[in-house]
Amino acid sequence: MLNFFILILIYTCIYAFMSLGQNLITGYSGMLSLCAAGFFAIGSYTTAILTTSFGWSFWATLPIAALLSALMGVLIGLPTLRLKGDYLAIATLGFAEIVRNIINNWDALTNGPMGIQRIPMITIFGIKISPYQKYGFLLMEIIMLLICWFLFERLASSRMGRALEAIREDEIAANSMGINVTKYKVVSFALGAAVTGIAGCLQAEFTLSVSPGSYVFMVSIMVLCTVVLGGMGNFVAVILGAFIIQFISYLPQLIGLSNIIPAQAKQIIFGLILVIMMIYRPQGILGRKERNNKKAEKNWLLNKKEAINEHA
Amino acid sequence: MSMLETQALTREFGGVIAVNKVDFFVEKNMITGLIGPNGAGKTTLFNNITGLDTPTSGKVFFEGKEITGTPADRVCRLGIARTFQNIRLFKELSVIDNVMVGRHFHAGNSHNRTIQAILSYLNVEKEEKKTYLDAMKWLEFFGLENLRNEKAKNLPYGYQRELEIARALATEPRLLFLDEPAAGMNPQETEDLMKTIRRIRDIGVTVVLIEHDMKLVMNICDNITVLNYGQKIAQGTAMEIQSNPAVIEAYLGKDEDEEDDEE
Ligand SMILES: Nc1ncnc2c1ncn2[C@@H]1O[C@H](COP(=O)(O)OP(=O)(O)O)[C@@H](O)[C@H]1O
Ligand SMILES: [Mg+2]
């Protein structure tokens, strides 16, 4: 039971990386993208191929996977980011399917439907991080997640984060305020793709094998669900969302009813969650995080006081 | 050469010629009015100058340099800011954040500071403090500083119009385009707006405004251009425009008749 809970946490972390990316793209920039599965696959296969065929260390594959995902993000972003709402969703969905089809059919590189097995385990300073000893793996994930979360939070609180929110609120007005809308959309798409790729690397190292069946459309839906459920534009909320989604999807096994409740039931549950949230709580459980100008405001009040004192 | 000049600027939408070979001039440090009946092409002319729309033909010059077809963000960086006929605030953002967006490109001096934004905590904090101070000056210019933490969408209508102007001014333009700034304002608010526009002129910003309120236009504009069916039919001082037969026919005549009817 406890072991199973740890398993849920491990998958929560993997999904949390993707949620961070989806939140930047959808929660901040307001673009409805549905291709998390595509970047997830690129990350996984980059790690799988480089470690098995070329003997690279996991840590060396990590930046390559992130860069490759980001590059793919830019490549599909440039032509599609001008599209609005539903159209963008369909275009990105198509991209994810293309990625899955390629890994399914490019036998020479990806070993096709069979996938790649016997991926070497991660080592840190000679210590093996075995997925069979779950605590170590979870701890490593949490540390990596904290770093990524911190960086995304910083980005959001900078002027770039504000620019992304301005684009989400009104693209034309943002453009007229001197903001290069295309540039920022592409950058946020690339960063979201990169962190989703990193999630893929961890997935490959946790299961020690990859196959096309793990990178289906359902993954993108689950990631979108984490953001809608937790709260758009709130990084803490989407991590909470990732946990709830993982908890729900493993609930039948957790309470020992997996032979009564079919696995497909979770798809119905996720659909219901999306619908119910959209109707009753569109802002998500925690809601959007408001921009925090407290320090700057204090600084302004202080300056004002000084100015008044000088006059007196 | 005038501060801003369009040469035979034309914009067609399918068969409709919204702006037809218009030569529009804006003189530095003056308040220029752009008037004309609904659908005359005033907003389209603004859009084609400020880069939100691309002219079918013709040229735009700003401070002697051709800027025809320059994208909106670059036009803004060159020193031209604008407001919109239908207010376009960042509704879910706070009042001060709206103005801080206007400071966006002044805050960064190197080309792309994404990496820095991610990595350098101290730099971001320092930059944000400065941006806040700079933005607050413009809220104070309009006396909106006590509303700084309100969401923009919760502001009364008149304040929203002012906030939009504050946001535009925060980009530090030399030329400011206002598209019907008095629309929906009551007479008192319109009176205040007139004073504000003069104050903006006095700090060295050249103003162009589209306006339906004749009293406001005639009162504060040094120079007026009249559009009708996409064509420029007159240009001159308030006095000249008021006595121009073509204008009376196209616009003022009708307008005065309506006012007479109301009385
Ligand atoms: N994007 C567009 N597509 C098609 N027609 C347009 C578009 N924008 C404006 N028009 C047309 O151009 C003409 C001028 O419109 P506009 O510039 O908004 O007038 P004004 O601001 O003077 O009231 C109108 O006939 C309008 O219908
Ligand atoms: Mg108009």
Side-chain angles (χ1 to χ4, degrees):
Chain A
M1 182 89 166
L2 177 68
N3 232 348
F4 209 81
F5 195 69
I6 301 294
L7 180 76
I8 291 178
L9 288 182
I10 284 175
Y11 275 110
T12 296
C13 284
I14 291 177
Y15 269 78
F17 280 98
M18 293 198 270
S19 306
L20 293 180
Q22 186 85 41
N23 186 40
L24 188 71
I25 295 169
T26 310
Y28 274 85
S29 314
M31 299 182 284
L32 183 51
S33 143
L34 275 179
C35 57
F39 300 127
F40 193 43
I42 291 171
S44 281
Y45 273 83
T46 305
T47 292
I49 294 167
L50 289 179
T51 52
T52 55
S53 305
F54 297 92
W56 285 38
S57 128
F58 164 76
W59 300 106
T61 69
L62 208 56
I64 303 294
L67 276 176
L68 208 59
S69 303
L71 190 72
M72 290 310 272
V74 172
L75 281 184
I76 71 148
L78 279 176
T80 58
L81 294 184
R82 275 178 299 113
L83 303 173
K84 296 258 160 1
D86 326 350
Y87 297 105
L88 179 64
I90 292 166
T92 50
L93 191 159
F95 163 75
E97 281 304 298
I98 291 171
V99 171
R100 199 174 59 85
N101 273 308
I102 290 175
I103 59 177
N104 208 6
N105 291 299
W106 193 354
D107 290 354
L109 187 70
T110 65
N111 201 24
M114 306 284 291
I116 298 169
Q117 280 79 33
R118 288 201 211 93
I119 296 172
M121 291 179 197
I122 302 173
T123 53
I124 303 178
F125 306 123
I127 306 163
K128 257 203 178 104
I129 310 281
S130 160
Y132 302 112
Q133 287 148 10
K134 299 194 173 63
Y135 289 101
F137 197 88
L138 179 61
L139 183 68
M140 176 196 73
E141 273 189 335
I142 290 176
I143 292 170
M144 285 171 68
L145 181 63
L146 282 175
I147 294 169
C148 276
W149 167 69
F150 176 76
L151 296 180
F152 272 71
E153 205 75 81
R154 285 248 46 76
L155 181 74
S157 63
S158 75
R159 75 192 179 103
M160 175 169 167
R162 188 180 295 104
L164 296 182
E165 295 206 62
I167 291 170
R168 180 194 71 224
E169 292 294 311
D170 193 322
E171 220 175 292
I172 291 176
N175 201 208
S176 294
M177 290 295 110
I179 292 170
N180 185 337
V181 172
T182 311
K183 177 183 110 183
Y184 278 114
K185 278 185 163 183
V186 170
V187 168
S188 75
F189 209 70
L191 289 172
V195 77
T196 308
I198 289 175
C201 304
L202 289 168
Q203 161 84 17
E205 285 292 348
F206 185 62
T207 52
L208 298 179
S209 67
V210 294
S211 64
S214 319
Y215 306 96
V216 291
F217 176 55
M218 194 59 198
V219 172
S220 306
I221 292 291
M222 279 171 75
V223 173
L224 182 66
C225 255
T226 65
V227 173
V228 173
L229 185 65
M232 290 218 199
N234 185 336
F235 288 113
V236 175
V238 302
I239 294 175
L240 172 72
F243 172 72
I244 296 173
I245 291 291
Q246 286 309 317
F247 190 79
I248 291 172
S249 74
Y250 283 101
L251 194 62
Q253 279 126 298
L254 196 61
I255 55 178
L257 291 177
S258 57
N259 42 359
I260 301 172
I261 305 172
Q264 287 85 344
K266 74 178 182 190
Q267 305 196 6
I268 298 171
I269 295 174
F270 294 148
L272 275 177
I273 288 177
L274 277 180
V275 172
I276 292 170
M277 290 304 289
M278 284 304 175
I279 297 172
Y280 294 104
R281 206 173 156 78
Q283 73 272 40
I285 294 171
L286 295 183
R288 189 175 293 288
K289 188 181 169 208
E290 310 227 325
R291 297 198 70 78
N292 181 352
N293 295 318
K294 291 261 154 53
K295 278 185 184 163
E297 185 178 28
K298 226 184 228 160
N299 181 53
W300 169 70
L301 287 168
L302 215 72
N303 276 19
K304 212 161 86 155
K305 230 182 248 162
E306 271 170 24
I308 292 170
N309 287 346
E310 266 169 37
H311 264 285
Chain B
M1 206 175 202
S2 308
M3 182 187 207
L4 182 111
E5 236 182 270
T6 71
Q7 292 176 0
L9 197 78
T10 302
R11 178 62 166 112
E12 295 178 30
F13 295 109
V16 183
I17 306 179
V19 174
N20 195 352
K21 299 204 182 89
V22 169
D23 300 323
F24 180 57
F25 303 94
V26 177
E27 302 305 328
K28 202 169 165 58
N29 296 325
M30 286 194 183
I31 300 175
T32 302
L34 183 62
I35 64 171
N38 259 330
K42 306 181 294 295
T43 299
T44 306
L45 180 60
F46 267 31
N47 288 347
N48 279 278
I49 293 169
T50 57
L52 287 179
D53 194 4
T54 315
T56 314
S57 62
K59 287 178 177 172
V60 184
F61 292 90
F62 176 56
E63 294 176 338
K65 272 181 292 210
E66 187 176 351
I67 59 160
T68 321
T70 307
D73 57 310
R74 297 247 315 273
V75 171
C76 179
R77 284 158 192 254
L78 286 174
I80 302 178
R82 68 170 293 170
T83 65
F84 297 88
Q85 185 171 349
N86 314 305
I87 304 174
R88 281 181 173 271
L89 288 170
F90 308 119
K91 294 197 185 73
E92 295 292 331
L93 297 188
S94 69
V95 166
I96 183 66
D97 273 313
N98 266 271
V99 185
M100 286 169 89
V101 172
R103 298 298 306 164
H104 180 83
F105 69 89
H106 289 285
N109 41 27
S110 71
H111 194 63
N112 190 340
R113 304 219 299 184
T114 309
I115 304 296
Q116 192 192 331
I118 299 174
L119 296 179
S120 171
Y121 183 80
L122 289 176
N123 271 330
V124 168
E125 192 157 296
K126 206 172 118 196
E127 182 182 286
E128 284 288 293
K129 276 183 184 165
K130 177 158 190 327
T131 304
Y132 193 95
L133 291 180
D134 293 341
M136 202 45 102
K137 277 181 211 148
W138 294 107
L139 280 189
E140 286 170 326
F141 185 86
F142 286 89
L144 290 174
E145 65 271 24
N146 290 333
L147 295 168
R148 62 187 179 276
N149 293 326
E150 291 293 325
K151 275 191 181 176
K153 65 171 181 187
N154 295 336
L155 251 51
Y157 188 80
Y159 288 164
Q160 291 197 14
R161 284 255 176 235
E162 290 185 338
L163 175 56
E164 214 195 8
I165 302 174
R167 184 182 69 179
L169 284 171
T171 67
E172 285 176 26
R174 294 185 293 288
L175 180 56
L176 176 66
F177 283 86
L178 304 173
D179 197 342
E180 303 199 20
M185 284 189 170
N186 63 37
Q188 181 56 49
E189 284 171 331
T190 308
E191 192 77 24
D192 293 345
L193 179 71
M194 264 197 267
K195 285 185 199 138
T196 306
I197 292 174
R198 287 207 182 92
R199 275 168 65 215
I200 293 171
R201 192 246 342 253
D202 292 344
I203 57 170
V205 179
T206 306
V207 179
V208 182
L209 77 151
I210 294 176
E211 195 42 70
H212 276 303
D213 189 320
M214 275 308 125
K215 191 165 151 250
L216 188 150
V217 172
M218 295 302 166
N219 255 325
I220 67 170
C221 291
D222 305 301
N223 203 324
I224 298 171
T225 295
V226 189
L227 290 187
N228 195 23
Y229 294 114
Q231 280 174 313
K232 183 168 101 171
I233 58 170
Q235 181 193 343
T237 61
M239 291 277 273
E240 288 162 358
I241 293 297
Q242 269 166 321
S243 57
N244 183 314
V247 177
I248 293 168
E249 161 125 21
Y251 192 85
L252 294 175
K254 259 194 291 177
D255 205 67
E256 270 168 10
D257 284 348
E258 276 164 21
E259 272 176 22
D260 288 346
D261 289 347
E262 277 164 26
E263 283 165 14

